[in-house]
Amino acid sequence: MNKEHFFKICGYVLFAFWIISSIIHLKYSGASTLFWFCNISVAILAVACFERSLTLVYFILAQSLFFQSPWVIDWLLYFTTGFSFFNLVSFYEGLPVYFMMLTFIRHTITIPLCIIFLFLLKPRIPTKWAVLLWMFGTIGLLIFSYVLSIQALYAVNINCATYFCASGFIDLGTGLGYLALWGLIVMVVSLFSLYVLVLPLHRVIMKHSL
């Protein structure tokens, strides 16, 4: 199987998974859950496969390393000990088990797939305009998440936009002040992850795969 076919197959599988996952989440949790980063990242990764876009792979991997890995670790902690920093029980109380497992899979597939794609694409530094657009898109998503969460009377906390998701252990406040702080943290961490971790990792992968 050549690279082009592999990317197309991955794209179709990811797109189908995103559609199925979205339909199930619409049924049980409402439209707001569609805007969580973990759900959006699957759709963007499908597009990255169809377009063979290294830039999108970089961006998704950079943010997933810091903003999805903690959730995966928390899932594993919950499955093994019953303890959760993010209070997973409150997220899935009254929902079927397969809904929980689907969400777990959605969180865990992103980083491994991105790393696999790095083995198949040559390193290339994203343009400044692409990075700037990524940052604006990220901030836009956080603002949109904040508005949706408020409209839902804080019944949801999409992308941790209204308060820190592990507020039981780290309290960063609420309101617009928190949103500004959270947005700054997300931007700084995302850029750090891209330039200090993801790009060097890709160069190392290419060096040892030659």
Side-chain angles (χ1 to χ4, degrees), residues 17-168:
F17 179 82
W18 176 71
I19 291 293
I20 294 171
S21 176
S22 296
I23 291 173
I24 293 174
H25 276 75
L26 277 171
K27 178 180 178 180
Y28 289 106
S29 298
S32 61
T33 57
L34 300 182
F35 299 100
W36 277 89
F37 171 75
C38 58
N39 190 57
I40 294 175
S41 63
V42 175
I44 294 177
L45 206 53
V47 174
C49 288
F50 290 131
E51 299 295 328
R52 295 186 65 175
S53 172
L54 176 61
T55 298
L56 289 179
V57 173
Y58 279 157
F59 292 164
I60 292 298
L61 179 58
Q63 291 187 324
S64 295
L65 284 173
F66 281 93
F67 301 111
Q68 289 207 144
S69 294
W71 287 88
V72 174
I73 294 172
D74 200 50
W75 276 100
L76 296 175
L77 186 65
Y78 176 71
F79 287 147
T80 55
T81 67
F83 175 79
S84 168
F85 286 101
F86 297 123
N87 193 19
L88 290 173
V89 174
S90 66
F91 279 94
Y92 304 103
E93 187 175 5
L95 295 173
V97 175
Y98 72 83
F99 179 91
M100 184 184 295
M101 295 306 300
L102 184 67
T103 308
F104 175 70
I105 293 171
R106 190 175 64 183
H107 279 80
T108 55
I109 61 174
T110 308
I111 293 176
L113 279 177
C114 285
I115 293 176
I116 290 172
F117 296 153
L118 294 186
F119 279 92
L120 304 174
L121 298 167
K122 293 182 179 179
R124 185 178 67 254
I125 297 177
T127 65
K128 292 180 180 180
W129 284 111
V131 173
L132 188 62
L133 184 61
W134 173 41
M135 289 293 98
F136 275 118
T138 298
I139 294 303
L141 176 62
L142 286 178
I143 294 174
F144 185 65
S145 301
Y146 180 82
V147 173
L148 280 181
S149 299
I150 290 178
Q151 288 182 339
L153 301 178
Y154 300 95
V156 292
N157 181 29
I158 307 167
N159 295 311
C160 310
T162 56
Y163 58 88
F164 190 57
C165 286
S167 58

